[in-house]
Amino acid sequence: PPPLFNDTATTEIYTEDASSAASDVYKRQAGRLPFKKELGELIAWQSGQLKKTGVEVILNRPATAKIVRSTRPDAVIFAAGAYPVVPPIPGVDGEKVIGVMEFHMNEEIVSGSEIAVVGGGLAGCEAALGLAMSGKKVTLLEALTDVALDINIVNRMSLLRFLAEQEVNVLTGHTVQEIKEDVLMAKDSEGKEISIHADHIIIAVGMRSNNELVKQLEGISEELYVIGDSVNPDKVGDAIHSGFVAGLRV
């Protein structure tokens, strides 16, 4: 496709460690999960396009209002992504509890044969599937009546089939009450309490937008666009589309 910017335009991307690591998360998933192959190819293509269009990518340097102002930009596009939600569960800060993003960035930290995943959205389902494919015994807990409700029907059918084939123990209608070291306490929809042993517990209960800096950026340039997960945590395709539209508007 043709470049989005004319020959005299310059573009800079500032990113923190967490943002650059997010790309590594997708690359790891692409290499481990068969249905993520296309995502890995997309990342490689996008990286190539950044080089071709001369976009300067500055890693490991958190963006601040002062830094952005010093570049004297004509437009600012804010795409800082989202943070994982940490649920108010007693024991969620335990040594054996990790977030799903942390898990994908360093899967080696998950030891033992029995793993519990809290949260049955796309992120939780994919984490559970990857662990099961590596030989782990996985229990997936979701408070709603079903899992993977946040993806389209075609992909959902395939994902559910993969989970069944890998014998992931899916418990819907279950809310986690407490985490005690290697034991997870939960209640089902009828109030019955159950306990699940887990060598590690992965939390995947959603994301919240990272947009705290937006107010400080107002007035720095004539145009300010907030896009992607910084507006509303969603899927990769939605984030890419919002970025493309913002690029066209500049």
Side-chain angles (χ1 to χ4, degrees):
L4 298 180
F5 306 98
N6 60 47
D7 293 338
T8 60
T10 59
T11 309
E12 295 179 338
I13 297 177
Y14 291 85
T15 180
E16 303 182 39
D17 284 332
S19 298
S20 58
S23 177
D24 291 334
V25 168
Y26 294 130
K27 290 178 182 177
R28 286 172 181 263
Q29 287 184 326
R32 183 168 49 85
L33 301 177
F35 51 86
K36 288 290 185 177
K37 179 182 178 182
E38 290 80 4
L39 182 57
E41 295 173 347
L42 173 61
I43 294 171
W45 180 85
Q46 288 181 320
S47 298
Q49 292 301 305
L50 289 175
K51 294 178 181 178
K52 288 181 180 180
T53 53
V55 175
E56 181 181 3
V57 180
I58 303 172
L59 300 175
N60 303 322
R61 186 179 181 185
T64 64
K66 181 179 180 180
I67 290 176
V68 175
R69 186 178 289 107
S70 69
T71 66
R72 302 178 65 183
D74 296 309
V76 175
I77 298 176
F78 189 87
Y83 296 121
V85 171
V86 180
I89 300 173
V92 74
D93 57 348
E95 293 184 1
K96 294 183 179 295
V97 183
I98 62 173
V100 67
M101 291 294 288
E102 182 183 1
F103 158 68
H104 283 306
M105 287 187 280
N106 184 15
E107 297 175 13
E108 290 74 18
I109 63 177
V110 175
S111 59
S113 59
E114 297 179 294
I115 311 297
V117 178
V118 179
L122 178 60
C125 288
E126 289 183 343
L129 177 57
L131 286 162
M133 292 174 69
S134 67
K136 308 289 188 183
K137 180 181 178 182
V138 184
T139 298
L140 175 64
L141 296 100
E142 169 56 47
L144 299 179
T145 57
D146 213 337
V147 298
L149 295 174
D150 54 343
I151 60 176
N152 68 68
I153 185 63
V154 176
N155 290 347
R156 182 172 184 268
M157 290 175 63
S158 297
L159 182 56
L160 294 179
R161 176 169 56 83
F162 287 141
L163 290 171
E165 290 175 351
Q166 295 298 322
E167 299 182 347
V168 173
N169 181 26
V170 179
L171 300 179
T172 57
H174 283 69
T175 56
V176 178
Q177 303 298 305
E178 187 177 4
I179 298 172
K180 297 180 179 180
E181 296 185 1
D182 58 354
V183 176
L184 183 151
M185 307 298 296
K187 283 186 179 180
D188 64 15
S189 58
E190 298 179 352
K192 180 181 178 182
E193 294 187 352
I194 65 168
S195 62
I196 300 170
H197 173 269
D199 298 305
H200 263 101
I201 299 166
I202 297 174
I203 305 296
V205 295
M207 307 287 286
R208 65 178 180 85
S209 295
N210 174 14
N211 51 25
E212 290 83 0
L213 188 61
V214 172
K215 284 290 184 182
Q216 301 177 43
L217 298 177
E218 293 178 353
I220 289 179
S221 62
E222 293 184 6
E223 301 175 70
L224 171 62
Y225 302 100
V226 183
I227 65 171
D229 286 358
S230 291
V231 177
N232 179 48
D234 215 324
K235 305 297 178 291
V236 173
D238 299 294
I240 292 174
H241 180 261
S242 66
F244 184 78
V245 171
L248 289 177
R249 293 177 64 185
V250 171

